[in-house]
Amino acid sequence: MDTTLCGGDILMVENSQIEGTIAEIRKRNGKVTSFNKEKISNAIYKALAATEEPDRKLADELTEGVLGKLIQQGFSVSNSPSVEDIQDMVESTLIDRGHSEIAKAYILYRHERRKIRDEKIKVLNLKILDPVSKNFDLNCLRVLASRYLMRNHQGNIIESPSQMFERVALLVALGDLLRDNTIFTKDGNVTQDVEQARSYLGKLDDFDYKFKIGDHYLNKWHFRGLINLYIELAMKGQMKIGFKQLLTMLAAKKFDNYSDKISEYYDLMTEQIFLPNSPTMMNAGGRLGQLSACFVLDMPDDMAGIMKSTSDAALIFKSGGGVGINYSDLRPEGDIVASTSGVASGPVSFMNIINTVTEVVKQGGKRRGANMGIIEAWHPDVEKFITTKTEPGILENFNVSVGIWEDFWNSLVNSPDGKYMLRSPNGKDPVREINAHQLIDLIALSAWKSAEPGLIFFDNINQYNVFAKARGGPLRATNPCGEQSLYPYESCNLGSINLANLVKRKADGQYEFDWQKYEETIIKTTRFLDNVIDMNNYPVLEIDVASKESRRIGLGVMGVADLLYKLRIPYNSKEGYEFQSKLAEALTYYSMEESIALSKTRGEFMLCSKTEYPEAKIPISGYYEKPKNQHSYDWDALIAKIQKHGIRNVLATTVAPTGTLSMIADCSNGMEPTFALVFEKRVTVGRFFYTNKIFENVLKENGLYSEELLSKVADNYGSIRDIPEIPEWMQKIFVTAMDIHWADHLMAQGVWQDWIGNAIAKTINMPHDVSAGDVKASYLLAHEMGLKGITVYRDRSRNQQVLHMTSENAEKTFDVRPSTYVTDYVERLITNPYVKTQVDNALKLVTPEEIPKPIPQTEEEKEETLCPTCKNNLVFVEGCSLCIECGFSGCTSG
């Protein structure tokens, strides 16, 4: 029996009686849904938290009082209360029980909820909110509205978030449906009339929303995807039935069981557990149908080839992708062109052509494209290339990187005089000798000034490249953010798992990581991305061919920093590094295991037999470089399975930038530390603070939350370091990018790189006061750690179009030291004398008194830090710029 005070009277109400009396609730849109008293309790609990008195037991007691009042007011099974009725009862119950402050907080909470609901309706152009819109944060929905939801010719949004995710899930699930064993055979010995299927491509409009799977209707672009995959499989002899018979079975609901698969993919996205790269969400089930984030093109030293690549780049930008190109095969500036007796203009001039094309061809009609431009260290124009972007306004649509091979590295760290020969692209004839130390110093100084160029370590990339033999040479290019190495005309389909949502609460209220759910999610999402390859409408024929020859996917993660906050594990601690290493190993192990399973039922990737996989080699450095007693999984057994069954995807894992994806998933970016716990937005009425939600909750639970404290954190570079009001245990756990020494940023990237097949999108954050020598030392340490590339960002770099911290009062008041984990690593494992000396010198710290004060920005430089879309401040994370207001990103995948 519950004794509940209601309206001044004591009501004796049986729990069972309450549950049986009110079964449903009338929503604002007139629909009826099941009554759930937990929602009332949660709303009251939030009101209690707002008054800094979070008390779950009291919230539950007050909820029982609300239920008693509802019964007293005559609500029952036949007379269901509305949402407003219940909210009114909450208010009166709180007042009757003497909780006037809580009642006030609840009224404010109710008002704020109404405001948010109205704002969501306005942002999404809806009359009523769909299920996803109700659950997603307003900022998540703003990003969806600005970039992902379909619009009509007038620019008006014409789909809800729920419809968007259904559109994506349905297309991806068609890849499973067409592999149903009743209609598909892996063996490939059946002949079908392919032209019959192809004829349907000319009448797509006639089949718009004519077929459905369960309750999910196929639009004409879904239907196009179905036709194209059928044709491809039929041409391989793998379809047991004709196309008309397939349609007959579809109409007869023979495939309605795949409605469950659609729901599985839909739930992964709408529960913010997994999101594919941006082009997939933008274009799946749409006219463009191009689903890949990144591509690499060739740039041969002839005009026809250059123009072909330029044209292909334009088509890729139009379809929503980004492009990486290695320009090292182009002859240097000033070389004689034999066919015309003219003088070559050099690689940088041809980069300007691609830059202009990028400027005028908007990606998928929604954003400008992104490029990676690479010159290898031996090229005669390398010095000009390095300094090209130190001035503002040059190659603004490019990230640039210098490609490093073993010969340069050997000259740098092993040669006494550092002599290094630049060579002609044509025949590799010697051109002139330079000093490797001077070249790396020039790269470091340029990156110190402008965050570019980055370095790409092609020697490390190709050390365990199992694909070189099949492709006839090493990898020489990457996608725009450098985390995805590709051969010419290859593409990659990326996706990221939100680790912050893979937790469960223990009895004591603390979180623990759900390893079983992680494994299940990896398996589902690997299949998801493999389907994306098949359902993709590639912009260029050569890309279609090359992508399916390798079936390269890039499953990655986001929300790592938020996960560590929830688990109370410091990011840059021994426990933090070991935990992240295990996350990375599990990601690749289970993804490759599922790729083997797919190979059994669907077949291995086309060039698998020509790779080093049959020789028991795998593209995972951790397998070779870490002692077996440090492996968490049986890699030898997995290799044996590959030898027996093959593997479906040449590589499976990549940690890509997740800028806008993280905003949609409402979590931290990639495997990056949080860039700030609190940052400021100035509006006409004053200062407004964005606060990390996990940190905010912990502040409230510990009675520390206040506007004054948030202001202090924002002015402290978004960090809680050395703020006396914050307990020491909290300072250790809630670290930010600026709390972490650059050597620890490298270590974090390194522990992931050990187990990731491709590479990592990561920014090596450095404070304003570092020297170019520190940047150089970071290069040396990165290479020794086995990283495949490095992007350094020194806070407030001049001419860099990003701003790390948004508080105008932000000032560095604390010093950052490398962790003992890093210093022990350097002491034990860095053996090269030159590298050891340079790194040791860089890790010697200056005192706070020696730290130079930041140089104030000019008005012109401030303008350069603004988002080109909404003119709000940008931040720099994962190697590219990101607007936390509208979701603009300088990268393509996120």
Side-chain angles (χ1 to χ4, degrees):
M1 301 277 286
D2 286 337
T3 306
T4 307
L5 186 62
C6 273
D9 298 322
I10 300 292
L11 283 181
M12 309 300 286
V13 184
E14 292 277 3
N15 271 326
S16 59
Q17 181 187 346
I18 293 171
E19 298 291 344
T21 305
I22 302 175
E24 295 178 329
I25 178 174
R26 286 182 286 112
K27 301 173 79 173
R28 291 179 182 86
N29 59 13
K31 292 184 178 178
V32 174
T33 188
S34 297
F35 179 78
N36 182 359
K37 72 175 183 179
E38 287 299 315
K39 291 187 176 181
I40 302 174
S41 180
N42 288 337
I44 296 174
Y45 180 78
K46 288 177 181 177
L48 289 167
T51 60
E52 299 181 14
E53 295 179 22
D55 186 331
R56 176 60 68 181
K57 186 178 178 183
L58 178 58
D60 290 340
E61 289 175 2
L62 291 168
T63 299
E64 296 301 333
V66 172
L67 297 175
K69 255 187 185 296
L70 287 168
I71 294 169
Q72 189 184 40
Q73 293 293 320
F75 292 110
S76 63
V77 172
S78 59
N79 182 25
S80 301
S82 67
V83 171
E84 286 79 8
D85 291 328
I86 292 175
Q87 290 178 337
D88 291 341
M89 293 302 107
V90 171
E91 288 180 18
S92 62
T93 301
L94 288 169
I95 292 168
D96 291 343
R97 293 288 296 268
H99 297 291
S100 57
E101 284 301 310
I102 301 171
K104 180 181 175 183
Y106 180 77
I107 292 166
L108 290 173
Y109 164 78
R110 186 177 175 182
H111 174 71
E112 189 63 27
R113 293 270 295 180
R114 187 183 300 115
K115 242 172 69 176
I116 292 171
R117 186 168 61 251
D118 292 344
E119 184 65 21
K120 286 180 177 181
I121 288 172
K122 181 181 175 183
V123 165
L124 297 171
N125 193 32
L126 294 173
K127 292 182 179 178
I128 57 172
L129 294 180
D130 64 303
V132 172
S133 304
K134 290 178 182 177
N135 294 331
F136 275 34
D137 184 89
L138 179 58
N139 285 337
C140 304
L141 299 177
R142 284 194 179 116
V143 175
L144 287 178
S146 68
R147 300 183 63 191
Y148 296 91
L149 301 180
M150 292 287 185
R151 294 174 179 265
N152 60 20
H153 294 302
Q154 288 75 43
N156 297 320
I157 294 171
I158 56 172
E159 72 176 349
S160 69
S162 296
Q163 290 168 332
M164 184 209 77
F165 287 118
E166 182 187 16
R167 164 170 60 80
V168 176
L170 177 49
L171 184 77
V172 173
L174 292 177
D176 294 304
L177 185 151
L178 280 168
R179 286 342 188 295
D180 188 286
N181 57 22
T182 63
I183 62 172
F184 171 84
T185 174
K186 175 188 164 187
D187 299 332
N189 54 8
V190 184
T191 301
Q192 298 294 348
D193 182 2
V194 173
E195 292 307 313
Q196 181 189 82
R198 191 169 280 121
S199 68
Y200 280 82
L201 291 172
K203 44 188 176 182
L204 294 179
D205 287 339
D206 297 335
F207 291 91
D208 198 20
Y209 295 100
K210 293 294 170 63
F211 293 102
K212 65 177 182 174
I213 302 166
D215 294 327
H216 307 283
Y217 279 92
L218 280 68
N219 67 27
K220 61 183 176 181
W221 309 119
H222 294 124
F223 190 59
R224 178 185 64 184
L226 182 78
I227 297 168
N228 286 335
L229 182 54
Y230 175 90
I231 291 171
E232 182 178 332
L233 297 177
M235 289 179 72
K236 294 178 182 177
Q238 294 179 324
M239 295 309 301
K240 296 179 182 178
I241 62 173
F243 189 70
K244 285 188 177 179
Q245 188 179 348
L246 172 67
L247 296 186
T248 302
M249 293 177 69
L250 196 59
K253 300 186 175 297
K254 299 293 185 183
F255 301 111
D256 274 13
N257 56 312
Y258 284 92
S259 179
D260 292 340
K261 185 60 69 175
I262 297 169
S263 296
E264 178 182 289
Y265 295 146
Y266 176 87
D267 291 345
L268 282 170
M269 295 183 286
T270 59
E271 291 173 10
Q272 296 171 302
I273 292 172
F274 166 82
L275 291 172
N277 51 217
S278 288
T280 300
M281 293 200 293
M282 290 174 177
N283 299 331
R287 180 182 59 82
L288 285 173
Q290 198 291 104
L291 313 179
S292 300
C294 43
F295 305 81
V296 156
L297 295 175
D298 202 6
M299 188 58 73
D301 191 35
D302 66 84
M303 193 53 67
I306 291 169
M307 291 300 105
K308 163 77 165 123
S309 291
T310 303
S311 172
D312 291 342
L315 293 173
I316 289 169
F317 298 146
K318 182 181 177 183
S319 73
V323 173
I325 298 176
N326 187 329
Y327 291 84
S328 302
D329 291 337
L330 298 178
R331 69 194 70 188
E333 183 178 1
D335 253 23
I336 300 298
V337 181
S339 60
T340 62
S341 299
V343 177
S345 56
V348 173
S349 64
F350 287 102
M351 291 174 67
N352 279 310
I353 294 175
I354 298 292
N355 189 68
T356 302
V357 171
T358 313
E359 194 72 34
V360 297
V361 181
K362 216 173 186 183
Q363 281 190 320
K366 297 181 181 179
R367 57 178 181 173
R368 273 206 310 269
N371 297 279
M372 170 64 81
I374 299 169
I375 289 286
E376 294 171 31
W378 51 261
H379 195 282
D381 283 0
V382 66
E383 291 137 316
K384 178 180 179 180
F385 173 80
I386 289 165
T387 57
T388 295
K389 288 198 69 178
T390 53
E391 296 298 323
I394 306 297
L395 295 176
E396 289 188 330
N397 300 306
F398 267 88
N399 293 326
V400 295
S401 290
V402 176
I404 302 296
W405 293 92
E406 296 93 330
D407 59 343
F408 176 82
W409 204 255
N410 189 53
S411 295
L412 179 66
V413 304
N414 294 323
S415 172
D417 54 16
K419 290 181 179 178
Y420 182 68
M421 184 62 68
L422 301 183
R423 303 188 302 277
S424 167
N426 185 13
K428 300 296 185 288
D429 298 325
V431 173
R432 61 187 169 91
E433 191 175 81
I434 64 167
N435 186 287
H437 297 285
Q438 292 177 357
L439 190 67
I440 203 75
D441 286 342
L442 182 64
I443 295 170
L445 180 60
S446 178
W448 182 87
K449 288 180 178 178
S450 65
E452 293 199 79
L455 286 188
I456 297 176
F457 301 124
F458 283 127
D459 52 348
N460 287 344
I461 285 172
N462 285 286
Q463 185 174 6
Y464 302 108
N465 176 14
V466 297
F467 209 27
K469 188 167 64 171
R471 285 295 190 202
L475 284 157
R476 292 183 59 208
T478 76
N479 71 329
C481 289
E483 83 283 358
Q484 184 64 64
S485 305
L486 298 167
Y487 283 96
Y489 286 101
E490 276 193 331
S491 67
C492 193
N493 304 293
L494 308 171
S496 300
I497 296 170
N498 179 7
L499 298 178
N501 280 356
L502 298 182
V503 293
K504 52 189 177 183
R505 278 193 183 271
K506 298 184 289 186
D508 61 2
Q510 297 300 308
Y511 289 104
E512 66 178 341
F513 189 66
D514 192 337
W515 287 100
Q516 182 178 345
K517 191 171 183 181
Y518 186 36
E519 177 186 342
E520 292 168 356
T521 302
I522 294 167
I523 290 168
K524 291 174 184 177
T525 52
T526 298
R527 183 178 291 263
F528 183 112
L529 293 178
D530 187 67
N531 286 351
V532 167
I533 295 171
D534 291 326
M535 303 315 301
N536 209 329
N537 189 34
Y538 295 97
V540 178
L541 177 61
E542 292 94 329
I543 293 173
D544 190 306
V545 173
S547 299
K548 289 169 182 173
E549 284 178 340
S550 61
R551 304 193 68 86
R552 193 185 297 262
I553 61 172
L555 182 60
V557 296
M558 53 186 165
V560 171
D562 282 347
L563 171 66
L564 293 173
Y565 288 164
K566 286 183 175 181
L567 299 179
R568 303 291 190 261
I569 299 174
Y571 185 98
N572 54 333
S573 65
K574 182 176 186 291
E575 185 184 5
Y577 290 133
E578 290 176 351
F579 184 75
Q580 289 184 71
S581 178
K582 189 176 178 184
L583 288 170
E585 185 180 358
L587 182 72
T588 296
Y589 183 87
Y590 288 119
S591 189
M592 289 182 71
E593 190 172 66
E594 176 62 10
S595 187
I596 296 166
L598 289 170
S599 182
K600 287 183 193 178
T601 57
R602 301 182 177 185
E604 63 189 21
F605 70 91
M606 197 179 302
L607 296 180
C608 186
S609 63
K610 297 179 181 180
T611 70
E612 294 181 345
Y613 275 122
E615 301 167 25
K617 295 181 181 178
I618 59 173
I620 309 300
S621 63
Y623 170 73
Y624 299 100
E625 297 176 8
K626 284 189 164 293
K628 292 237 175 134
N629 62 6
Q630 293 181 20
H631 296 185
S632 298
Y633 301 95
D634 188 348
W635 288 90
D636 290 326
L638 184 133
I639 291 170
K641 289 180 189 175
I642 294 174
Q643 288 185 289
K644 183 175 180 180
H645 303 291
I647 194 166
R648 180 73 171 163
N649 314 97
V650 65
L651 270 85
T653 52
T654 306
V655 180
T658 62
T660 51
L661 298 187
S662 292
M663 294 178 75
I664 297 168
D666 204 12
C667 66
S668 55
N669 290 24
M671 50 74 58
E672 294 272 20
T674 301
F675 69 86
L677 291 167
V678 181
F679 52 98
E680 148 192 292
K681 179 183 177 184
R682 289 184 183 261
V683 291
T684 53
V685 294
R687 302 173 76 187
F688 171 76
F689 298 106
Y690 289 103
T691 309
N692 178 278
K693 290 180 180 178
I694 303 165
F695 175 63
E696 181 177 317
N697 289 336
V698 170
L699 285 181
K700 288 177 177 176
E701 287 168 6
N702 288 272
L704 295 170
Y705 185 86
S706 70
E707 287 287 313
E708 291 79 10
L709 184 59
L710 296 185
S711 178
K712 278 190 177 183
V713 177
D715 293 343
N716 195 42
Y717 269 63
S719 165
I720 58 174
R721 279 284 299 275
D722 296 343
I723 295 179
E725 296 95 319
I726 305 288
E728 188 176 343
W729 70 266
M730 208 180 289
Q731 293 189 32
K732 287 181 178 178
I733 290 165
F734 288 93
V735 292
T736 69
M738 293 301 284
D739 295 330
I740 297 172
H741 192 274
W742 59 259
D744 280 285
H745 279 282
L746 289 174
M747 180 57 69
Q749 185 172 341
V751 298
W752 281 89
Q753 189 61 80
D754 284 338
W755 297 109
I756 297 297
N758 292 297
I760 318 290
K762 173 85 180 76
T763 300
I764 306 305
N765 293 92
M766 293 187 171
H768 180 80
D769 55 274
V770 298
S771 68
D774 292 312
V775 177
K776 177 181 176 181
S778 74
Y779 295 158
L780 297 169
L781 185 55
H783 187 274
E784 293 299 298
M785 285 180 167
L787 302 189
K788 295 182 178 181
I790 176 174
T791 300
V792 168
Y793 177 64
R794 181 178 68 95
D795 187 43
R796 303 190 185 189
S797 300
R798 290 176 62 86
N799 299 328
Q800 180 64 25
Q801 295 188 359
V802 292
L803 185 67
H804 182 78
M805 230 26 269
T806 57
S807 171
E808 293 181 5
N809 303 323
E811 184 176 349
K812 183 180 177 183
T813 59
F814 53 86
D815 195 18
V816 176
R817 297 177 178 275
S819 68
T820 55
Y821 192 89
V822 168
T823 53
D824 288 349
Y825 178 94
V826 171
E827 185 63 33
R828 288 185 299 108
L829 298 176
I830 304 301
T831 56
N832 181 281
Y834 175 77
V835 175
K836 186 79 161 56
T837 300
Q838 295 288 320
V839 172
D840 281 347
N841 288 340
L843 295 185
K844 290 175 183 174
L845 299 167
V846 297
T847 64
E849 292 75 27
E850 296 173 311
I851 298 172
K853 296 294 182 185
I855 301 170
Q857 289 180 302
T858 66
E859 289 304 313
E860 291 79 9
E861 289 166 348
K862 284 182 180 179
E863 180 64 23
E864 288 171 5
T865 69
L866 299 180
C867 171
T869 301
C870 69
K871 299 303 179 185
N872 279 288
N873 286 310
L874 294 167
V875 297
F876 194 74
V877 66
E878 297 174 309
C880 59
S881 52
L882 172 69
C883 176
I884 48 82
E885 186 69 21
C886 74
F888 166 86
S889 174
C891 295
T892 53
S893 56

